[in-house]
């Protein structure tokens, strides 16, 4: 029935529930706004200017790993080993990631060690950090032409989109984001600038033998 409703709506028909005479709204496609370079620099400057090192670490981990807020929130001081490999837990699917994520940022390592000495990774409940970050983003970044605003989850989209743009294989991106299928990153996260599209058309077509 849902498929039939979608088909009618695409044809411009007004679809109503026959029982209660309520118009069924057209499904809106989820938007996936990503950070620009300038917006990321603004966010990093904000994160590094905080007195709460735990909050700074929270933001930097979202940028570095592309993990969901819930996954970062579930981290403890024990989840970063001596080899700087961070062990992530997918709260959504309730399972550990199939891999360990290597942390290369010296800034994150120092902040983590500081929190390890303190004994707790988060000085406050991470839900407060998320709320605080959302409020700051809302005040700092305007909505785009589609009315979409940046959010902490936009960092996940940014991480994946840039990985795709940089030619990272979809299988690896899928692992990094702990998706069930390599097709998901391309379908959900692929975003290309107009400059990248123009560059693709300017490249010469590959030569084929015998043609």
């Amino acid at each position: 029935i849902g498929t039939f409703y979608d088909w009618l709506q695409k044809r411009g028909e007004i679809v109503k529930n026959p029982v209660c005479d309520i118009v069924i709204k057209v499904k809106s496609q989820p938007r996936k706004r990503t950070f620009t370079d300038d917006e990321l620099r603004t966010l990093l400057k904000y994160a590094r200017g905080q007195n709460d090192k735990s909050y700074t670490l929270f933001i930097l981990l979202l940028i570095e790993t592309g993990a969901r807020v819930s996954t970062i929130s579930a981290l403890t001081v024990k989840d970063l080993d001596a080899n700087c490999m961070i062990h992530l837990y997918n709260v959504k699917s309730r399972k550990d990631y199939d891999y360990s994520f290597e942390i290369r940022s010296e800034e994150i390592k120092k902040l983590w060690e500081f929190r390890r000495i303190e004994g707790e990774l988060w000085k406050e409940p991470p839900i407060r950090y998320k709320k605080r970050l959302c409020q700051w983003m809302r005040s700092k970044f305007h909505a785009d032409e589609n009315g979409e605003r940046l959010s902490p989850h936009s960092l996940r989209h940014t991480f994946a989109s840039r990985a795709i743009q940089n030619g990272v294989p979809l299988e690896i991106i899928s692992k990094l984001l702990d998706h069930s299928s390599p097709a998901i990153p391309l379908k959900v996260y692929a975003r290309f600038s107009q400059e990248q599209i123009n560059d693709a058309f300017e490249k010469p077509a590959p030569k084929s033998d015998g043609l």
Side-chain angles (χ1 to χ4, degrees):
I1 294 176
T3 303
F4 177 62
Y5 283 167
D6 289 342
W7 178 79
L8 287 174
Q9 289 168 342
K10 288 177 181 178
R11 293 174 61 88
E13 303 291 341
I14 297 177
V15 182
K16 288 189 176 182
N17 186 313
V19 177
C20 51
D21 198 37
I22 296 177
V23 175
I24 300 174
K25 296 182 179 179
V26 178
K27 292 181 181 178
S28 59
Q29 294 297 320
R31 295 169 183 162
K32 300 98 182 176
R33 182 176 171 184
T34 58
F35 280 78
T36 64
D37 289 343
D38 286 341
E39 289 167 341
L40 269 181
R41 280 192 285 267
T42 300
L43 176 59
L44 284 169
K45 183 178 179 180
Y46 165 75
R48 290 163 178 158
Q50 302 304 302
N51 293 325
D52 186 345
K53 294 183 178 179
S54 195
Y55 180 45
T56 299
L57 178 62
F58 178 81
I59 298 172
L60 294 181
L61 284 171
L62 287 173
I63 297 172
E64 177 87 359
T65 66
R68 296 181 180 88
V69 171
S70 58
T71 293
I72 298 301
S73 300
L75 289 171
T76 69
V77 290
K78 298 179 181 179
D79 289 320
L80 185 69
D81 63 27
N83 297 318
C84 295
M85 304 297 288
I86 187 172
H87 307 285
L88 300 170
Y89 177 76
N90 190 331
V91 176
K92 186 176 181 180
S93 60
R94 299 182 182 180
K95 69 179 184 67
D96 291 321
Y97 276 42
D98 294 333
Y99 73 98
S100 294
F101 193 101
E102 183 180 3
I103 294 297
R104 299 182 179 181
S105 167
E106 293 299 324
E107 188 174 7
I108 289 178
K109 293 175 187 177
K110 290 178 181 178
L111 288 169
W112 195 293
E113 286 308 310
F114 177 83
R115 294 310 308 166
R116 194 191 299 275
I117 293 172
E118 294 291 313
E120 295 288 342
L121 193 60
W122 309 123
K123 188 176 179 180
E124 295 183 24
I127 188 65
R128 293 184 183 177
Y129 289 150
K130 178 186 177 182
K131 183 178 180 180
R132 182 174 165 187
L133 184 56
C134 285
Q135 290 175 339
W136 177 82
M137 285 184 177
R138 193 167 188 84
S139 65
K140 190 66 179 180
F141 303 120
H142 298 296
D144 63 12
E145 63 276 6
N146 296 315
E148 183 182 6
R149 291 185 174 275
L150 288 168
S151 70
H153 193 74
S154 301
L155 291 168
R156 180 171 173 83
H157 291 276
T158 303
F159 177 93
S161 179
R162 295 189 177 209
I164 292 172
Q165 293 172 13
N166 290 329
V168 178
L170 292 179
E171 291 79 5
I172 294 179
I173 298 174
S174 181
K175 283 291 184 182
L176 291 174
L177 298 174
D178 203 40
H179 280 304
S180 57
S181 168
I184 296 177
L186 184 60
K187 179 181 179 181
V188 177
Y189 300 115
R191 293 293 179 275
F192 301 98
S193 67
Q194 187 61 48
E195 290 77 11
Q196 289 172 315
I197 294 173
N198 292 341
D199 288 344
F201 277 106
E202 290 174 1
K203 291 180 180 179
K207 295 181 180 179
S208 300
D209 293 337
L211 295 179

